[in-house]
Structures are given as C-alpha cells and as structure tokens.
Amino acid sequence: MQKFIIKGPNKAVKGEIDISGAKNSCLPLMAASILFKKKVTLRNVPFVKDVHTMRNLLVSLGSKIEFSESKKTMTITNNKNHNLTVPYHLVSTMRAGVLTMGPLLARYPQKKIKVALGGGCALGVRDTNWHLAGFRSLGARNNLDKGYVNISTKKGLIGGVYKFPKVTVTGTSNLIMASIFVKGSHFVKNISIEPEVIDLINFLNNSGAKIKFIGKRSIKIIGIKELINGTHNIIGDRIEAFSYLCAGVITSGKVKVKNINPNHLRTEINVLKKMGCKILAKENSIILTSAKKLKPIKIKTGPWPSFATDNMPMILAVLTKVSGRSQIEETIFSNRFMAAPELNRMGALIKIKKNKAIVVGQNQLTAADCISSDLRTTFSIILGAMAAKGQSKINRVYHGLRGYYKLETKLRKIGIKIKSKN
Ligand code: EPU
C-alpha cells in the first residue's frame, strides 16, 4: 500500500500549480450523462480515482465511455437502455454513486430502479433521506430491500414543490436531475448553491434544460422532452486550489494556483488575508505570499458561500503553526476532525469539544508516522509533515488519490520533499 515520506521542515515553497477540474463537479456531470440519448463530452476532466470509479459504475449500467487523460476529455454515449441496478460494491467505495438515482429515475420513470445504499463513511452518518423525500415530491415511491432502495412511479414524474430541510449538495444535484423531464414544473427550495451545483445547472441549461432561479436558493424546473448533445468544460477544483495555497502559507512561501475562479474561494481568501497573507486574485488564478507572522483566526464552516467543510482540514493544519488561539466550528459533518489526533502526534495542540476545535499554535512540530483516514485528512497530514522537523511517514494515502490528481508530482513541483513507497 502506497505511503508518502515527507522530510521537514520544508523550506518556503515557490512555484505554480495547474489546478485540475473539480472532482465534485465531474462526478454529477458524469451521472447526468444518463439523461442524454446522445453523446456527452466533458472537458477538463480530473482523472482521479473517484472519476474512474464513476466511469466503472456507468459502464456497468451500460454507458459507452471513451477518454483521453492527456487531453483531459471524456465522451459518454448512452444510446442503449441502461441496467437499472446500481451495485453495492461501486456505491460503497464512493458515495457519489447515489448521484445515478436522479437521472435513472428521470429517464426510466415507469421502471423499477434499484440503487444500493452507501451507508456511513469516515465523515460520519451520511443519509440519503432528503434525496428520497425529494423524489417522492415528484410522485416517486421508494422502499428498502436488503440494503437496496427500490424507486419507481405509477404515473411518471409530476411537478410539485420540495423544500430541503437543510442544504445538501448531492441531494440538490440528484433532485435537479430527476426533475428534468417532469410533467409540468417542479419547484425546489433551500438548494445548495455550491459552484459545483451551479456548474451542473449551467451544463443542463446549455443542453436544453429549463432550470430557472426564482430566489437565492429556490429554482423552478420546467419539464422538457429531451436534452440535446451535451458538451461542458468542468470548473477548476476550489478544494485542490485551497490545499496548495495552504502549502504556501504553512511554509511561509509564495505559490500561484492557475485555472481557478477566485470567486469560488472568496471566503477562504478573506480568511487568509485576515491571517496576514498577501493575495493577488486575477481572473483565473490566485497568487499567495505568506507572512512570517500570521494571526490566529475564528472560522465556521457552512454551505457555500461560507467556508467549505472540505477546506477545513487544511486550515486546521495551518493553524497548528500560527501562534495564539484559533477556533474552528464545523457545522456540516459529525466527524470531520480526524486529522486532529494525527497532527497532535506531531506536537500540535488541538482540542476537540463537540463540533469545535481549539488550536493553540506551536513553534515547532516534530515528524511522526501517521495514518490517513479520508481524502482531505490526507492533505491535512501532508501539510503537518511539511512543517514538522524530521521524516514523517503517511500511511493509507490512497484516500488522497481519490480526489487529488498527480498529488505527489504537484507537491514536488513547488519544492516539497516528498517520496512515495509501496
Ligand atoms: N444529509 C442528510 N440527509 C440527506 C443528505 C445529507 O442528513 O439526504 C446530511 C449529511 O449527513 C451531512 C449534511 O447533510 O451532515 C450535508 O451533506 P451533503 O449532502 O451536502 O454532502 P454530500 O452531497 O454527500 C458533497 C461532497 C462532499 C462535501 C459535501 C459538503 C460530492 C461528491 N461530495 O457531499 O465532498 O464534503 O458535499 O460540502 O460532491 C470531498 O470531496 O472530500 C467530499 C467529502
């Protein structure tokens, strides 16, 4: 199993990183291809592990997929009828597999769709109850049988109203996709407006869908008969971009991230500025220059435009080195501080009280052997290891490879002393 070995403390990083397409845009866009009878072409595809898992899932449902990693493109053709069972082994390794529910229901409303339930994950309980309640608001019925949800309708999908009790990202994408061919119009309230959801809406609207904003978090979806050929350029990955900016901060370096819309990181950029970093945001890039003396900060995660929960583990690592007392409040997931015990093994001082982390910055961290338990925790531990004195070994880095394209190569490009070992 692949391990990373990092020698620290790393000198100030310097350089530029090409940010890949957003994994969390790519996965729903791939699932959305099920809605099309014609070809879908995606550009700026990040060929990370989760994207390959989604590819396998779509192929198992009957899609034909061609791709070129060097050109960052993928074409998906769905001219045959799909298998309507989404197997457990593909949903259990990647929760985003549930995103096939909505498009399968939209395309085959009168048939029985069977999707394995993903269960919990390292971040805590991850339910799909609001996805299913959303489908019910369109007239679908569902029942659970041996770990699979069966979904079907009697008379097809009919427009109505649904309000999400709390913002859910994939729940929103799933319900939008389910509603594309609805009879009449469907109104959905309290939706996620993360840039990745907007990316999906733009793709569908450019392909003939009629999704209109009627409020900040409310949309009206007017049912259409068929989507036309779909082509889309995936937005840059704001989580990947922030991760590399944090490498710049923790090593007191200077880093430029390219192919990223700075507006997608506006809250995070303000946080970094408040800490004392200099930021130059251009149309499609961000240049960060860290400061020798950074200030502690208070952060609360939340749905976009708040500070992203996915960016929290990285700022947590950075704050372990910022003198003074910082505080992070996590409002999305019940178990998102898994990097804390690993960073504490390097000498960080992080105390967790319910959904809050209190971080007291230390002058020096010391290297340790660590275990990564999820995607963003991997990067958080890497950041700790960059700052720690000595050689740290990070185990189970495959979690990181689910969502960071060419992680090792990109880190090395900005001067991180990293080696990998099997
Ligand atoms: N929730 C429910 N019921 C539902 C849906 C959600 O209780 O039916 C709860 C969840 O348990 C969680 C909260 O609502 O406590 C928000 O979860 P959300 O549904 O928004 O998360 P998600 O859609 O499953 C996506 C990203 C995650 C990211 C979250 C939050 C994708 C493929 N995944 O997950 O990305 O953390 O939104 O922004 O888009 C990652 O990339 O590392 C990652 C975990």
Side-chain angles (χ1 to χ4, degrees):
M1 215 175 274
Q2 197 180 356
K3 301 175 186 68
F4 282 161
I5 295 164
I6 296 182
K7 214 166 154 204
N10 214 97
K11 61 178 196 307
V13 302
K14 204 172 169 220
E16 297 185 355
I17 296 284
D18 271 317
I19 296 304
S20 299
K23 165 188 82 86
N24 289 347
S25 266
C26 187
L27 299 173
L29 289 166
M30 288 173 74
S33 72
I34 293 172
L35 296 165
F36 291 73
K37 287 190 179 144
K38 292 177 190 154
K39 195 166 75 176
V40 167
T41 304
L42 299 177
R43 302 214 166 96
N44 199 26
V45 174
F47 284 96
V48 292
K49 185 81 189 5
D50 275 7
V51 167
H52 287 295
T53 307
M54 185 58 108
R55 179 170 62 86
N56 291 339
L57 200 164
L58 291 178
V59 168
S60 85
L61 296 180
S63 308
K64 213 177 129 224
I65 302 191
E66 286 165 13
F67 65 94
S68 159
E69 191 167 335
S70 59
K71 291 186 184 145
K72 305 182 196 170
T73 58
M74 181 180 281
T75 54
I76 311 174
T77 318
N78 289 298
N79 45 15
K80 280 199 240 137
N81 279 346
H82 290 90
N83 303 323
L84 298 178
T85 300
V86 179
Y88 180 60
H89 71 276
L90 290 168
V91 178
S92 61
T93 52
M94 184 196 60
R95 191 188 138 82
V98 299
L99 282 163
T100 51
M101 274 195 229
L104 283 175
L105 180 62
R107 184 139 172 208
Y108 307 98
Q110 312 274 18
K111 301 242 168 85
K112 189 166 105 184
I113 292 147
K114 216 175 142 180
V115 181
L117 267 193
C121 82
L123 308 182
V125 183
R126 289 180 82 178
D127 219 328
T128 37
N129 52 340
W130 304 330
H131 299 229
L132 297 172
F135 300 151
R136 286 197 295 273
S137 70
L138 291 164
R141 299 170 307 174
N142 65 274
N143 70 299
L144 187 66
D145 183 27
K146 301 191 181 92
Y148 281 76
V149 200
N150 296 315
I151 316 170
S152 58
T153 69
K154 261 195 173 150
K155 298 180 194 145
L157 299 167
I158 299 159
V161 184
Y162 183 70
K163 183 174 177 189
F164 283 106
K166 260 180 76 180
V167 172
T168 156
V169 179
T170 49
T172 300
S173 300
N174 235 344
L175 187 52
I176 289 174
M177 293 189 280
S179 311
I180 292 298
F181 308 126
V182 75
K183 201 167 160 204
S185 298
H186 198 51
F187 292 83
V188 190
K189 299 179 183 171
N190 198 28
I191 65 160
S192 142
I193 48 168
E194 320 306 290
E196 295 76 17
V197 173
I198 304 299
D199 207 29
L200 175 70
I201 292 177
N202 288 340
F203 166 60
L204 292 170
N205 278 344
N206 290 336
S207 309
K210 287 195 175 142
I211 307 161
K212 296 187 183 349
F213 270 89
I214 51 170
K216 194 177 162 216
R217 290 190 180 275
S218 302
I219 48 174
K220 175 183 182 183
I221 305 158
I222 304 163
I224 55 149
K225 286 269 175 289
E226 199 172 331
L227 290 164
I228 52 174
N229 272 10
T231 302
H232 191 71
N233 205 23
I234 298 171
I235 55 168
D237 194 318
R238 63 193 164 111
I239 315 299
E240 189 196 21
F242 186 72
S243 304
Y244 288 104
L245 290 177
C246 285
V249 186
I250 205 163
T251 61
S252 306
K254 183 171 178 177
V255 65
K256 178 176 182 180
V257 286
K258 297 191 298 186
N259 305 329
I260 183 70
N261 179 346
N263 186 41
H264 294 166
L265 278 170
R266 62 188 194 212
T267 303
E268 284 82 351
I269 286 176
N270 280 337
V271 164
L272 295 175
K273 278 184 178 165
K274 271 194 198 156
M275 287 170 65
C277 298
K278 264 200 215 137
I279 306 265
L280 183 62
K282 296 208 173 143
E283 201 187 322
N284 212 21
S285 65
I286 305 166
I287 301 173
L288 170 136
T289 313
S290 189
K292 276 269 169 295
K293 180 111 185 71
L294 292 165
K295 289 180 252 176
I297 191 121
K298 245 180 154 178
I299 297 166
K300 186 175 175 181
T301 64
W304 203 84
S306 295
F307 195 100
T309 174
D310 289 348
N311 279 329
M312 186 276 283
M314 281 70 86
I315 200 76
L316 175 73
V318 167
L319 293 174
T320 64
K321 286 281 296 156
V322 176
S323 92
R325 184 181 184 275
S326 294
Q327 183 184 301
I328 299 176
E329 186 178 348
E330 165 62 29
T331 71
I332 307 286
F333 289 113
S334 55
N335 190 26
R336 193 108 220 215
F337 290 122
M338 282 97 66
E342 302 300 317
L343 294 167
N344 283 348
R345 296 184 58 256
M346 296 179 185
L349 198 61
I350 307 170
K351 282 207 175 111
I352 309 294
K353 282 186 193 151
K354 292 189 181 153
N355 69 332
K356 287 194 183 124
I358 309 295
V359 191
V360 179
Q362 304 296 301
N363 277 335
Q364 186 64 69
L365 303 184
T366 39
D369 287 355
C370 299
I371 297 183
S372 164
S373 49
D374 84 297
L375 168 54
R376 309 300 168 190
T377 295
T378 310
F379 210 104
S380 178
I381 300 173
I382 290 174
L383 288 167
M386 282 178 202
K389 192 170 176 213
Q391 184 170 286
S392 298
K393 199 192 288 167
I394 308 170
N395 293 286
R396 302 198 188 157
V397 292
Y398 59 84
H399 288 293
L401 306 178
R402 287 184 47 196
Y404 287 98
Y405 185 63
K406 299 231 156 117
L407 176 55
E408 209 186 320
T409 317
K410 290 189 184 184
L411 284 168
R412 224 179 271 137
K413 187 166 180 265
I414 51 170
I416 303 300
K417 288 195 193 115
I418 181 168
K419 279 193 296 190
S420 83
K421 221 174 145 185
N422 281 316

